[in-house]
Amino acid sequence: MNVNKILPLTETTFYIMISLLEPSHGYAIMQRVEELSNGRVRIAAGTMYGATENLLKQKLIHEVPSPNEDKRRRVYLLTDAGKEVLKLEVERLKQLLLIADDLL
């Protein structure tokens, strides 16, 4: 995997990936992102669909069985590669903050 093609993550993708540290379906992810961002980031259904398809193609998330056997809902979870990318993004953001703190 070429991490340079993946990073930096968009804010929306970052929140989606954090939400998928636990198995979740699309609507629940949308709610969790809004909650985590204190209502600042809201994801529309079309954006959610595109983002999950992109993350699936990059093998950063994968589909898992629905816990309640609801076949209508696709449930996703971060892969090990997804966790690694998320960690790298957090480190990148920390470096940005350190630089900004030093300069301000």
Side-chain angles (χ1 to χ4, degrees), residues 27-81:
Y27 183 69
I29 296 167
M30 292 164 57
Q31 290 179 313
R32 182 75 172 134
V33 166
E34 190 170 341
E35 175 189 324
L36 289 170
S37 69
N38 294 319
R40 197 173 45 76
V41 177
R42 293 184 177 157
I43 302 174
T47 301
M48 184 70 221
Y49 176 79
T52 53
E53 289 303 310
N54 209 20
L55 290 168
L56 284 166
K57 285 179 191 171
Q58 294 172 324
K59 298 188 184 325
L60 300 178
I61 66 172
H62 62 106
E63 199 168 342
V64 296
S66 178
N68 59 4
E69 303 297 324
D70 185 355
K71 300 211 187 274
R72 294 174 296 154
R73 291 192 174 175
R74 294 177 71 185
V75 177
Y76 305 101
L77 182 64
L78 213 56
T79 62
D80 288 340

Side-chain angles (χ1 to χ4, degrees), residues 71-100:
K71 300 211 187 274
R72 294 174 296 154
R73 291 192 174 175
R74 294 177 71 185
V75 177
Y76 305 101
L77 182 64
L78 213 56
T79 62
D80 288 340
K83 288 177 188 173
E84 186 59 33
V85 165
L86 192 56
K87 286 177 187 176
L88 290 170
E89 179 66 355
V90 167
E91 286 304 313
R92 187 187 74 79
L93 292 170
K94 284 179 183 178
Q95 287 178 331
L96 288 175
L97 286 173
L98 286 173
I99 293 167

